Amino acid sequence: FWNQLPELPHKLQDRYRASWQEPDAINSMLNWYRAALRFPPQMASEQLRVPVLIIWGENDKYLSRKLAKKSLSYCAQGRIEYL
């Protein structure tokens, strides 16, 4: 699994491994995903009306610009700044 994510920092890999070794950790993690599939979040039908500034890292390895743009679509008064 980890060889598919070579950019994941080693410290973070170690934290995941330690978390997985806690008693009942795997069951808890799997239950979170089971519940997420059974009860998907309901998206608000209205846009946010307050001004929103989304600050996004240009070199983010894990989250694409598409996600920032999608998030902006939920804002009536929003803009994105890429750093």
Side-chain angles (χ1 to χ4, degrees):
F1 172 76
W2 291 115
N3 59 357
Q4 295 174 11
L5 300 171
E7 68 278 353
L8 198 63
H10 289 290
K11 282 186 176 183
L12 187 55
Q13 291 178 27
D14 293 341
R15 289 177 63 188
Y16 274 110
R17 284 188 189 106
S19 295
W20 291 338
Q21 292 175 6
E22 292 291 322
D24 294 321
I26 297 297
N27 284 340
S28 298
M29 293 174 191
L30 291 174
N31 286 339
W32 187 91
Y33 285 102
R34 287 181 187 125
L37 292 173
R38 288 183 62 200
F39 308 102
Q42 303 262 332
M43 298 308 293
S45 59
E46 296 181 28
Q47 289 186 320
L48 290 174
R49 294 185 203 147
V50 297
V52 174
L53 171 61
I54 298 173
I55 300 172
W56 207 266
E58 283 189 7
N59 298 318
D60 193 309
K61 294 179 182 179
Y62 304 102
L63 304 174
S64 71
R65 284 179 168 232
K66 289 180 185 179
L67 292 173
K69 291 177 182 176
K70 180 70 174 171
S71 297
L72 188 62
S73 72
Y74 294 102
C75 307
Q77 302 177 55
R79 66 185 176 98
I80 304 172
E81 288 289 329
Y82 295 100
L83 305 179

